[in-house]
């Protein structure tokens, strides 16, 4: 059907259009009460009142369920002091398994002093995007230190670890591409894929054979393909066979990205991570990603790799171009943390022996530790979310702080307590904890409010 407006001259078109618009406006202006009522009827409150949003209703439902089962919320607990092997809750010092401070670098006096001096010089903010407003020496110096750590050309820092993954993936991939990731990959990678518009495929946890099969069937359908794995899985504490993943990435001409959030400072003799653990040249991996919120004791994320990769991100990742740079004082702190990690490898070996000790004790006591390999992350699987929350409350009463991980972070039958082990825990703390967990589980987890 031809558009009747097409055959009209310009003035006639104008007249016809304003007639149509007037008619439409009249519909709403003619009887405003009726219109308002109709609009109200047509648009459900769930679309414009936050307290009616489905998301909010779900939070309320979880709170009601917690009240029903007589458990206090384990979330947003207030702690005092620096998060180390112990922490302060309600004025009481308790053994702490809820911190990422794997090498006890957060709170280190040498780092604190360097950061204090940097605050005197730079204040506490970078105040604008580095691209347009300029950067400070600590940004460049930290990025050089990160590139050196990975033995790659260059590195780039972002203000958040989560946003590093989101921005990197969304910048590098698009609608004709594929991201294929481990089943247990972190949320930030999934969010990046969603934003990128790339197709997403999942391979079973650590199963490089399945990955090989999937790529053999689907590689040809896509332009760029990115494999995403973690250096050490944050819920389970196990590691991938990096050699196999490198081989596969070369076999199919695809990119390989490793998220080292939980493996930097933990794996390898000097804490350099997964590549050091396997004795592999880090240049075999296309994208190294890490966070500065864990071993490095601060906040932010980084990407390390080839010069071209870093320049693409520097000039086009929205979370870098249109966002502020990390505070220079924090960059100084992170660089100091890297220096200390390399200067004092005994921190890394202490962390390893603590992890092994905790795991072997837990096994001796019959605790279900899943796939944990005895590094910094060791779960004790309780089976359901309510058990995990109750056990966590009961342990706090015994002087042990450990977070429950509940559905939807893990499958409902895989709810767990997640123990983060650090280099500063001592044998007594570890033994007391395992014995107490085992005792509480044996006695039956208390049912009453804790
Ligand atoms: C594997 C992984 N990647 C990325 C992140 C995000 O890092 P950040 O907490 O520094 O934003 C996390 C956070 O825990 C993580 O576990």
């Amino acid at each position: 059907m031809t558009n009747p407006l097409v055959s009209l001259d310009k003035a006639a078109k104008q007249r016809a259009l304003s007639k149509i618009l007037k008619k439409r406006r009249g519909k709403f202006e003619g009887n405003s009460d009726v219109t308002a009522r109709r609009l109200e009827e047509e648009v459900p409150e769930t679309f414009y009142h936050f307290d009616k949003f489905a998301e909010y209703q779900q939070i309320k439902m979880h709170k009601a369920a917690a009240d029903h089962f007589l458990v206090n919320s384990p979330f947003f607990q207030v702690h005092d002091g620096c998060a180390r092997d112990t922490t302060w809750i309600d004025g009481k010092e308790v053994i702490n398994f809820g911190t990422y401070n794997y090498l006890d670098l957060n709170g280190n006096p040498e780092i604190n002093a360097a950061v204090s001096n940097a605050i005197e010089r730079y204040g506490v903010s970078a105040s604008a995007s580095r691209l347009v407003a300029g950067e400070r020496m600590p940004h460049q110096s930290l990025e050089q230190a990160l590139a050196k750590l990975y033995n790659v050309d260059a590195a780039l820092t972002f203000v958040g670890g989560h946003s590093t993954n989101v921005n990197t993936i969304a910048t590098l991939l698009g609608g004709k591409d594929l991201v294929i990731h481990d089943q247990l990959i972190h949320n930030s990678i999934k969010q990046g894929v969603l934003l990128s518009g790339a197709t997403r495929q999942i391979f079973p946890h650590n199963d490089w054979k399945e990955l090989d099969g999937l790529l053999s069937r689907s590689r040809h359908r896509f332009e760029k393909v990115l494999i995403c794995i973690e250096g050490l899985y944050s819920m389970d504490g196990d590691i991938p066979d990096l050699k196999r993943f490198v081989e596969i990435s070369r076999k199919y001409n695809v990119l390989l990205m490793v998220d080292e959030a939980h493996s930097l400072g933990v794996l390898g003799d000097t804490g350099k991570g997964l590549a050091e653990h396997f004795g592999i040249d880090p240049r075999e991996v296309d994208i190294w990603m890490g966070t500065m919120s864990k071993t490095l004791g601060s906040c932010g994320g980084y990407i390390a790799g080839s010069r071209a990769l870093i320049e693409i991100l520097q000039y086009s990742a929205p979370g870098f171009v249109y966002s502020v740079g990390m505070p220079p004082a924090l960059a100084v702190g992170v660089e100091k943390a890297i220096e200390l990690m390399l200067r004092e490898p005994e921190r890394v070996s202490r962390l390893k022996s603590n992890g092994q000790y905790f795991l072997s004790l837990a096994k001796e006591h019959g605790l279900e530790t899943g796939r944990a390999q005895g590094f910094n992350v060791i779960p004790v699987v309780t089976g359901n979310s309510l058990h995990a929350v109750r056990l966590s409350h009961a342990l706090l009463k015994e002087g042990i702080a450990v977070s429950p991980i509940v559905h939807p972070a893990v499958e409902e039958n895989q709810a767990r307590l997640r123990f983060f082990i650090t280099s500063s825990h001592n044998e007594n703390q570890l033994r007391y904890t395992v014995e107490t967990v085992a005792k509480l589980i044996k006695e039956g987890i208390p049912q009453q409010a804790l």
Side-chain angles (χ1 to χ4, degrees), residues 74 77-80 82-90 92-100 358 378 388-389 391-404 416-422 425 429-430 432-434 436-437 440:
Q77 212 154 32
V78 178
H79 293 232
D80 197 13
C82 183
R84 303 177 104 155
D85 61 321
T86 64
T87 185
W88 290 80
I89 300 176
D90 288 335
K92 192 175 148 203
E93 189 175 18
V94 292
I95 308 170
N96 187 19
F97 292 97
T99 170
Y100 300 138
F358 188 94
I378 302 181
V389 173
L391 187 54
S392 153
H393 283 306
L395 284 165
L396 190 56
K397 283 198 138 188
E398 305 289 335
I400 299 161
V402 58
S403 309
R416 61 197 57 196
L417 297 177
R418 181 173 53 166
F419 291 86
F420 287 126
I421 312 294
T422 73
H425 284 116
Q429 291 169 328
L430 299 175
Y432 169 71
T433 299
V434 171
T436 309
V437 175
L440 286 173

Short mmCIF file of all heavy atoms in Angstrom, two decimals, residues 74 77-80 82-90 92-100 358 378 388-389 391-404 416-422 425 429-430 432-434 436-437 440:
data_model
loop_
_atom_site.label_atom_id
_atom_site.label_comp_id
_atom_site.label_asym_id
_atom_site.label_seq_id
_atom_site.Cartn_x
_atom_site.Cartn_y
_atom_site.Cartn_z
N PRO A 74 22.57 -12.86 57.09
CA PRO A 74 24.03 -12.90 57.22
C PRO A 74 24.69 -11.78 56.42
O PRO A 74 25.90 -11.69 56.37
CB PRO A 74 24.37 -14.26 56.60
CG PRO A 74 23.28 -14.50 55.59
CD PRO A 74 22.06 -13.77 56.07
N GLN A 77 26.91 -7.37 57.42
CA GLN A 77 27.34 -7.32 58.81
C GLN A 77 28.41 -6.22 58.96
O GLN A 77 29.28 -6.11 58.09
CB GLN A 77 27.99 -8.66 59.13
CG GLN A 77 27.81 -9.10 60.54
CD GLN A 77 27.88 -10.62 60.61
OE1 GLN A 77 28.61 -11.24 59.82
NE2 GLN A 77 27.16 -11.21 61.51
N VAL A 78 28.32 -5.47 60.05
CA VAL A 78 29.31 -4.39 60.23
C VAL A 78 30.55 -4.94 60.94
O VAL A 78 30.45 -5.54 62.02
CB VAL A 78 28.71 -3.22 61.03
CG1 VAL A 78 29.75 -2.13 61.25
CG2 VAL A 78 27.50 -2.66 60.31
N HIS A 79 31.71 -4.74 60.32
CA HIS A 79 32.99 -5.14 60.93
C HIS A 79 33.76 -3.88 61.27
O HIS A 79 33.54 -2.84 60.67
CB HIS A 79 33.85 -5.93 59.93
CG HIS A 79 33.30 -7.26 59.54
ND1 HIS A 79 34.05 -8.41 59.61
CD2 HIS A 79 32.09 -7.63 59.06
CE1 HIS A 79 33.32 -9.44 59.19
NE2 HIS A 79 32.13 -8.98 58.85
N ASP A 80 34.70 -4.01 62.17
CA ASP A 80 35.55 -2.86 62.47
C ASP A 80 37.02 -3.27 62.27
O ASP A 80 37.37 -4.44 62.30
CB ASP A 80 35.32 -2.42 63.93
CG ASP A 80 35.85 -1.01 64.16
OD1 ASP A 80 36.16 -0.32 63.17
OD2 ASP A 80 35.96 -0.62 65.33
N CYS A 82 40.88 -3.47 60.34
CA CYS A 82 41.38 -3.91 59.05
C CYS A 82 41.08 -5.41 58.88
O CYS A 82 41.28 -6.19 59.81
CB CYS A 82 42.89 -3.65 59.07
SG CYS A 82 43.69 -4.05 57.56
N ALA A 83 40.60 -5.79 57.68
CA ALA A 83 40.22 -7.19 57.45
C ALA A 83 41.46 -8.06 57.31
O ALA A 83 42.13 -8.04 56.28
CB ALA A 83 39.35 -7.29 56.21
N ARG A 84 41.77 -8.82 58.33
CA ARG A 84 42.96 -9.71 58.29
C ARG A 84 42.58 -11.10 58.80
O ARG A 84 41.44 -11.49 58.64
CB ARG A 84 44.06 -9.10 59.18
CG ARG A 84 44.42 -7.70 58.75
CD ARG A 84 45.43 -7.13 59.67
NE ARG A 84 46.72 -7.14 59.04
CZ ARG A 84 47.70 -6.30 59.38
NH1 ARG A 84 47.53 -5.45 60.37
NH2 ARG A 84 48.84 -6.35 58.76
N ASP A 85 43.53 -11.79 59.45
CA ASP A 85 43.18 -13.12 59.95
C ASP A 85 42.11 -13.03 61.04
O ASP A 85 41.41 -14.01 61.32
CB ASP A 85 44.43 -13.84 60.49
CG ASP A 85 45.08 -13.08 61.63
OD1 ASP A 85 45.11 -11.82 61.57
OD2 ASP A 85 45.55 -13.72 62.59
N THR A 86 42.00 -11.86 61.67
CA THR A 86 40.89 -11.63 62.60
C THR A 86 40.15 -10.36 62.18
O THR A 86 40.68 -9.56 61.41
CB THR A 86 41.37 -11.48 64.06
OG1 THR A 86 42.18 -10.31 64.14
CG2 THR A 86 42.11 -12.69 64.56
N THR A 87 38.93 -10.21 62.70
CA THR A 87 38.17 -8.98 62.44
C THR A 87 37.34 -8.71 63.70
O THR A 87 37.26 -9.57 64.59
CB THR A 87 37.27 -9.17 61.19
OG1 THR A 87 36.64 -7.92 60.89
CG2 THR A 87 36.20 -10.23 61.40
N TRP A 88 36.78 -7.52 63.78
CA TRP A 88 35.99 -7.15 64.96
C TRP A 88 34.52 -7.03 64.57
O TRP A 88 34.18 -6.27 63.67
CB TRP A 88 36.49 -5.83 65.54
CG TRP A 88 37.85 -5.96 66.17
CD1 TRP A 88 39.06 -5.98 65.54
CD2 TRP A 88 38.13 -6.15 67.56
NE1 TRP A 88 40.08 -6.17 66.43
CE2 TRP A 88 39.54 -6.26 67.70
CE3 TRP A 88 37.35 -6.24 68.71
CZ2 TRP A 88 40.17 -6.44 68.93
CZ3 TRP A 88 37.97 -6.41 69.94
CH2 TRP A 88 39.37 -6.52 70.04
N ILE A 89 33.67 -7.79 65.29
CA ILE A 89 32.22 -7.69 65.06
C ILE A 89 31.55 -7.51 66.43
O ILE A 89 31.83 -8.27 67.35
CB ILE A 89 31.65 -8.96 64.38
CG1 ILE A 89 32.35 -9.17 63.01
CG2 ILE A 89 30.15 -8.87 64.20
CD1 ILE A 89 31.94 -10.44 62.28
N ASP A 90 30.71 -6.48 66.53
CA ASP A 90 30.03 -6.18 67.82
C ASP A 90 31.03 -6.10 68.97
O ASP A 90 30.80 -6.66 70.05
CB ASP A 90 28.97 -7.26 68.15
CG ASP A 90 27.77 -7.14 67.25
OD1 ASP A 90 27.53 -6.02 66.74
OD2 ASP A 90 27.08 -8.15 67.04
N LYS A 92 33.76 -7.59 69.40
CA LYS A 92 34.46 -8.84 69.74
C LYS A 92 35.41 -9.23 68.60
O LYS A 92 35.03 -9.17 67.42
CB LYS A 92 33.38 -9.93 69.91
CG LYS A 92 33.85 -11.20 70.54
CD LYS A 92 32.65 -12.14 70.76
CE LYS A 92 33.09 -13.58 70.62
NZ LYS A 92 32.03 -14.49 70.29
N GLU A 93 36.63 -9.63 68.95
CA GLU A 93 37.57 -10.06 67.91
C GLU A 93 37.29 -11.53 67.56
O GLU A 93 37.22 -12.38 68.45
CB GLU A 93 39.02 -9.91 68.39
CG GLU A 93 40.02 -10.12 67.28
CD GLU A 93 41.46 -9.86 67.71
OE1 GLU A 93 41.73 -9.86 68.92
OE2 GLU A 93 42.31 -9.69 66.79
N VAL A 94 37.12 -11.80 66.28
CA VAL A 94 36.83 -13.18 65.85
C VAL A 94 37.80 -13.57 64.74
O VAL A 94 38.35 -12.71 64.05
CB VAL A 94 35.37 -13.30 65.35
CG1 VAL A 94 34.37 -13.12 66.48
CG2 VAL A 94 35.07 -12.33 64.21
N ILE A 95 37.99 -14.88 64.56
CA ILE A 95 38.85 -15.37 63.47
C ILE A 95 38.10 -15.11 62.16
O ILE A 95 36.89 -15.37 62.07
CB ILE A 95 39.15 -16.88 63.60
CG1 ILE A 95 39.68 -17.19 65.00
CG2 ILE A 95 40.17 -17.32 62.55
CD1 ILE A 95 39.77 -18.69 65.29
N ASN A 96 38.82 -14.60 61.17
CA ASN A 96 38.16 -14.11 59.97
C ASN A 96 38.48 -14.97 58.74
O ASN A 96 39.65 -15.10 58.37
CB ASN A 96 38.62 -12.66 59.73
CG ASN A 96 37.87 -11.99 58.61
OD1 ASN A 96 36.79 -12.43 58.23
ND2 ASN A 96 38.44 -10.91 58.09
N PHE A 97 37.43 -15.51 58.12
CA PHE A 97 37.63 -16.25 56.86
C PHE A 97 36.84 -15.59 55.73
O PHE A 97 36.52 -16.23 54.74
CB PHE A 97 37.20 -17.71 57.02
CG PHE A 97 38.10 -18.48 57.94
CD1 PHE A 97 37.76 -18.66 59.27
CD2 PHE A 97 39.31 -19.00 57.48
CE1 PHE A 97 38.60 -19.35 60.13
CE2 PHE A 97 40.14 -19.69 58.34
CZ PHE A 97 39.80 -19.87 59.67
N GLY A 98 36.56 -14.31 55.91
CA GLY A 98 35.74 -13.63 54.91
C GLY A 98 36.50 -12.58 54.14
O GLY A 98 35.90 -11.71 53.52
N THR A 99 37.83 -12.62 54.18
CA THR A 99 38.60 -11.57 53.53
C THR A 99 39.45 -12.11 52.39
O THR A 99 39.95 -13.23 52.45
CB THR A 99 39.50 -10.84 54.54
OG1 THR A 99 40.38 -10.00 53.82
CG2 THR A 99 40.33 -11.80 55.36
N TYR A 100 39.61 -11.26 51.37
CA TYR A 100 40.48 -11.60 50.24
C TYR A 100 41.93 -11.23 50.50
O TYR A 100 42.75 -11.22 49.58
CB TYR A 100 40.09 -10.79 49.00
CG TYR A 100 38.70 -10.94 48.46
CD1 TYR A 100 38.00 -9.82 48.04
CD2 TYR A 100 38.12 -12.19 48.30
CE1 TYR A 100 36.74 -9.93 47.47
CE2 TYR A 100 36.86 -12.30 47.73
CZ TYR A 100 36.18 -11.18 47.32
OH TYR A 100 34.95 -11.28 46.75
N PHE A 358 44.56 -26.75 56.16
CA PHE A 358 43.11 -26.63 56.39
C PHE A 358 42.37 -27.74 55.64
O PHE A 358 41.49 -28.40 56.17
CB PHE A 358 42.62 -25.25 55.93
CG PHE A 358 41.19 -24.94 56.29
CD1 PHE A 358 40.90 -24.25 57.46
CD2 PHE A 358 40.15 -25.34 55.47
CE1 PHE A 358 39.57 -23.96 57.80
CE2 PHE A 358 38.83 -25.05 55.80
CZ PHE A 358 38.54 -24.36 56.97
N ILE A 378 38.46 -22.52 50.19
CA ILE A 378 38.06 -23.88 50.54
C ILE A 378 36.60 -23.86 51.01
O ILE A 378 36.29 -23.27 52.05
CB ILE A 378 38.99 -24.49 51.62
CG1 ILE A 378 40.43 -24.47 51.09
CG2 ILE A 378 38.53 -25.91 51.97
CD1 ILE A 378 41.46 -25.05 52.02
N ALA A 388 23.48 -23.49 55.52
CA ALA A 388 24.70 -22.68 55.42
C ALA A 388 24.58 -21.43 56.28
O ALA A 388 25.52 -21.07 57.02
CB ALA A 388 24.95 -22.31 53.96
N VAL A 389 23.43 -20.77 56.22
CA VAL A 389 23.24 -19.53 57.00
C VAL A 389 23.27 -19.84 58.49
O VAL A 389 23.93 -19.16 59.28
CB VAL A 389 21.91 -18.83 56.60
CG1 VAL A 389 21.64 -17.65 57.51
CG2 VAL A 389 21.97 -18.39 55.14
N LEU A 391 24.63 -22.37 60.03
CA LEU A 391 25.97 -22.79 60.47
C LEU A 391 26.88 -21.57 60.60
O LEU A 391 27.67 -21.46 61.55
CB LEU A 391 26.55 -23.80 59.47
CG LEU A 391 27.87 -24.46 59.82
CD1 LEU A 391 27.81 -25.13 61.20
CD2 LEU A 391 28.25 -25.51 58.77
N SER A 392 26.75 -20.63 59.68
CA SER A 392 27.57 -19.43 59.74
C SER A 392 27.28 -18.62 61.02
O SER A 392 28.19 -18.14 61.70
CB SER A 392 27.32 -18.60 58.47
OG SER A 392 27.54 -17.27 58.69
N HIS A 393 25.97 -18.51 61.38
CA HIS A 393 25.62 -17.80 62.62
C HIS A 393 26.17 -18.54 63.85
O HIS A 393 26.68 -17.93 64.78
CB HIS A 393 24.10 -17.70 62.76
CG HIS A 393 23.50 -16.64 61.89
ND1 HIS A 393 23.93 -15.32 61.92
CD2 HIS A 393 22.50 -16.68 60.99
CE1 HIS A 393 23.21 -14.61 61.05
NE2 HIS A 393 22.35 -15.41 60.47
N ALA A 394 26.04 -19.87 63.81
CA ALA A 394 26.51 -20.66 64.96
C ALA A 394 28.02 -20.50 65.12
O ALA A 394 28.54 -20.40 66.24
CB ALA A 394 26.15 -22.12 64.76
N LEU A 395 28.74 -20.45 64.01
CA LEU A 395 30.20 -20.31 64.08
C LEU A 395 30.59 -18.94 64.62
O LEU A 395 31.58 -18.82 65.37
CB LEU A 395 30.81 -20.53 62.70
CG LEU A 395 30.87 -22.00 62.28
CD1 LEU A 395 31.13 -22.15 60.79
CD2 LEU A 395 31.98 -22.73 63.08
N LEU A 396 29.83 -17.92 64.27
CA LEU A 396 30.16 -16.59 64.78
C LEU A 396 30.09 -16.58 66.30
O LEU A 396 30.91 -15.97 66.98
CB LEU A 396 29.22 -15.54 64.17
CG LEU A 396 29.60 -14.10 64.43
CD1 LEU A 396 31.02 -13.79 63.95
CD2 LEU A 396 28.61 -13.14 63.75
N LYS A 397 29.10 -17.30 66.83
CA LYS A 397 29.00 -17.39 68.30
C LYS A 397 30.23 -18.05 68.91
O LYS A 397 30.57 -17.83 70.05
CB LYS A 397 27.76 -18.22 68.69
CG LYS A 397 26.48 -17.45 68.54
CD LYS A 397 25.39 -18.11 69.33
CE LYS A 397 24.55 -17.07 70.05
NZ LYS A 397 23.61 -17.69 70.97
N GLU A 398 30.88 -18.90 68.11
CA GLU A 398 32.09 -19.60 68.58
C GLU A 398 33.35 -18.81 68.23
O GLU A 398 34.47 -19.32 68.34
CB GLU A 398 32.19 -21.00 67.94
CG GLU A 398 30.99 -21.90 68.15
CD GLU A 398 30.86 -22.39 69.59
OE1 GLU A 398 31.89 -22.43 70.28
OE2 GLU A 398 29.74 -22.72 70.00
N GLY A 399 33.17 -17.60 67.71
CA GLY A 399 34.34 -16.74 67.44
C GLY A 399 34.94 -16.92 66.05
O GLY A 399 36.12 -16.64 65.83
N ILE A 400 34.13 -17.39 65.10
CA ILE A 400 34.64 -17.62 63.73
C ILE A 400 33.71 -16.94 62.72
O ILE A 400 32.51 -17.24 62.67
CB ILE A 400 34.67 -19.15 63.43
CG1 ILE A 400 35.61 -19.86 64.40
CG2 ILE A 400 35.09 -19.42 61.98
CD1 ILE A 400 35.39 -21.35 64.51
N ALA A 401 34.26 -16.02 61.93
CA ALA A 401 33.45 -15.34 60.91
C ALA A 401 33.70 -15.97 59.56
O ALA A 401 34.83 -15.94 59.05
CB ALA A 401 33.80 -13.85 60.86
N VAL A 402 32.65 -16.55 58.97
CA VAL A 402 32.76 -17.13 57.63
C VAL A 402 31.42 -16.92 56.92
O VAL A 402 30.36 -17.07 57.52
CB VAL A 402 33.15 -18.63 57.68
CG1 VAL A 402 32.16 -19.46 58.47
CG2 VAL A 402 33.32 -19.20 56.27
N SER A 403 31.51 -16.56 55.62
CA SER A 403 30.27 -16.22 54.92
C SER A 403 29.61 -17.44 54.32
O SER A 403 30.29 -18.29 53.74
CB SER A 403 30.56 -15.25 53.77
OG SER A 403 31.31 -14.18 54.24
N PRO A 404 28.27 -17.49 54.41
CA PRO A 404 27.55 -18.54 53.68
C PRO A 404 27.39 -18.12 52.23
O PRO A 404 27.21 -16.95 51.93
CB PRO A 404 26.18 -18.56 54.38
CG PRO A 404 25.99 -17.19 54.90
CD PRO A 404 27.37 -16.61 55.18
N ARG A 416 27.02 -23.48 50.71
CA ARG A 416 28.28 -23.77 51.38
C ARG A 416 28.73 -22.64 52.28
O ARG A 416 28.24 -21.51 52.18
CB ARG A 416 29.36 -24.00 50.32
CG ARG A 416 29.57 -22.77 49.45
CD ARG A 416 30.31 -23.06 48.16
NE ARG A 416 29.63 -24.06 47.37
CZ ARG A 416 30.19 -24.73 46.37
NH1 ARG A 416 31.43 -24.50 46.03
NH2 ARG A 416 29.53 -25.63 45.68
N LEU A 417 29.71 -22.95 53.12
CA LEU A 417 30.48 -21.91 53.77
C LEU A 417 31.75 -21.80 52.95
O LEU A 417 32.34 -22.82 52.58
CB LEU A 417 30.85 -22.31 55.19
CG LEU A 417 29.68 -22.53 56.15
CD1 LEU A 417 30.21 -22.98 57.50
CD2 LEU A 417 28.86 -21.26 56.32
N ARG A 418 32.14 -20.54 52.66
CA ARG A 418 33.37 -20.41 51.86
C ARG A 418 34.47 -19.82 52.74
O ARG A 418 34.36 -18.69 53.19
CB ARG A 418 33.11 -19.53 50.65
CG ARG A 418 34.34 -19.39 49.77
CD ARG A 418 34.06 -18.68 48.49
NE ARG A 418 33.41 -17.40 48.70
CZ ARG A 418 33.29 -16.47 47.76
NH1 ARG A 418 33.76 -16.70 46.56
NH2 ARG A 418 32.70 -15.33 48.01
N PHE A 419 35.50 -20.61 52.94
CA PHE A 419 36.63 -20.17 53.76
C PHE A 419 37.71 -19.59 52.87
O PHE A 419 38.22 -20.28 51.99
CB PHE A 419 37.20 -21.35 54.56
CG PHE A 419 36.26 -21.84 55.63
CD1 PHE A 419 35.27 -22.76 55.34
CD2 PHE A 419 36.34 -21.34 56.93
CE1 PHE A 419 34.38 -23.20 56.31
CE2 PHE A 419 35.46 -21.76 57.92
CZ PHE A 419 34.47 -22.70 57.60
N PHE A 420 38.03 -18.32 53.10
CA PHE A 420 39.18 -17.72 52.44
C PHE A 420 40.36 -17.85 53.40
O PHE A 420 40.33 -17.31 54.52
CB PHE A 420 38.96 -16.23 52.16
CG PHE A 420 37.99 -15.96 51.05
CD1 PHE A 420 36.90 -15.15 51.23
CD2 PHE A 420 38.19 -16.52 49.78
CE1 PHE A 420 36.01 -14.88 50.21
CE2 PHE A 420 37.31 -16.26 48.75
CZ PHE A 420 36.21 -15.44 48.96
N ILE A 421 41.38 -18.57 52.97
CA ILE A 421 42.56 -18.78 53.81
C ILE A 421 43.59 -17.71 53.47
O ILE A 421 43.73 -17.34 52.29
CB ILE A 421 43.18 -20.18 53.54
CG1 ILE A 421 42.09 -21.28 53.54
CG2 ILE A 421 44.30 -20.49 54.50
CD1 ILE A 421 41.42 -21.52 54.86
N THR A 422 44.27 -17.20 54.46
CA THR A 422 45.31 -16.19 54.20
C THR A 422 46.66 -16.66 54.76
O THR A 422 46.72 -17.61 55.54
CB THR A 422 44.97 -14.83 54.86
OG1 THR A 422 45.15 -14.97 56.28
CG2 THR A 422 43.54 -14.42 54.57
N HIS A 425 46.84 -16.53 58.77
CA HIS A 425 46.20 -17.46 59.72
C HIS A 425 47.27 -18.36 60.34
O HIS A 425 48.25 -18.70 59.68
CB HIS A 425 45.18 -18.35 58.99
CG HIS A 425 43.90 -17.65 58.65
ND1 HIS A 425 43.47 -17.42 57.37
CD2 HIS A 425 42.94 -17.11 59.45
CE1 HIS A 425 42.31 -16.78 57.38
NE2 HIS A 425 41.97 -16.57 58.64
N GLN A 429 44.38 -21.30 64.83
CA GLN A 429 43.11 -20.77 64.29
C GLN A 429 42.49 -21.77 63.32
O GLN A 429 41.28 -22.00 63.34
CB GLN A 429 43.37 -19.44 63.55
CG GLN A 429 43.77 -18.29 64.45
CD GLN A 429 44.28 -17.10 63.63
OE1 GLN A 429 44.87 -17.26 62.56
NE2 GLN A 429 44.06 -15.89 64.14
N LEU A 430 43.34 -22.36 62.46
CA LEU A 430 42.83 -23.26 61.44
C LEU A 430 42.27 -24.55 62.08
O LEU A 430 41.19 -25.01 61.74
CB LEU A 430 43.92 -23.59 60.42
CG LEU A 430 44.47 -22.37 59.64
CD1 LEU A 430 45.63 -22.77 58.73
CD2 LEU A 430 43.38 -21.69 58.81
N TYR A 432 41.28 -25.03 65.27
CA TYR A 432 40.08 -24.72 66.06
C TYR A 432 38.86 -24.60 65.14
O TYR A 432 37.77 -25.10 65.44
CB TYR A 432 40.30 -23.41 66.85
CG TYR A 432 39.05 -22.87 67.49
CD1 TYR A 432 38.49 -23.52 68.60
CD2 TYR A 432 38.42 -21.73 66.99
CE1 TYR A 432 37.32 -23.04 69.17
CE2 TYR A 432 37.26 -21.24 67.56
CZ TYR A 432 36.71 -21.90 68.65
OH TYR A 432 35.56 -21.43 69.22
N THR A 433 39.05 -23.95 63.99
CA THR A 433 37.93 -23.74 63.07
C THR A 433 37.40 -25.05 62.52
O THR A 433 36.19 -25.32 62.57
CB THR A 433 38.37 -22.81 61.91
OG1 THR A 433 38.77 -21.58 62.48
CG2 THR A 433 37.25 -22.58 60.92
N VAL A 434 38.31 -25.88 62.00
CA VAL A 434 37.85 -27.15 61.42
C VAL A 434 37.15 -27.99 62.50
O VAL A 434 36.06 -28.55 62.27
CB VAL A 434 39.03 -27.93 60.80
CG1 VAL A 434 38.59 -29.34 60.40
CG2 VAL A 434 39.56 -27.19 59.58
N THR A 436 35.63 -27.00 65.16
CA THR A 436 34.34 -26.42 65.55
C THR A 436 33.28 -26.66 64.48
O THR A 436 32.13 -26.99 64.80
CB THR A 436 34.50 -24.89 65.81
OG1 THR A 436 35.59 -24.71 66.70
CG2 THR A 436 33.25 -24.29 66.41
N VAL A 437 33.66 -26.51 63.20
CA VAL A 437 32.70 -26.78 62.12
C VAL A 437 32.24 -28.23 62.22
O VAL A 437 31.03 -28.52 62.18
CB VAL A 437 33.33 -26.51 60.73
CG1 VAL A 437 32.37 -26.92 59.61
CG2 VAL A 437 33.73 -25.06 60.57
N LEU A 440 29.87 -28.80 65.18
CA LEU A 440 28.52 -28.25 64.99
C LEU A 440 27.72 -29.09 64.00
O LEU A 440 26.53 -29.32 64.20
CB LEU A 440 28.59 -26.80 64.50
CG LEU A 440 29.01 -25.78 65.56
CD1 LEU A 440 29.22 -24.40 64.94
CD2 LEU A 440 27.95 -25.69 66.66
#
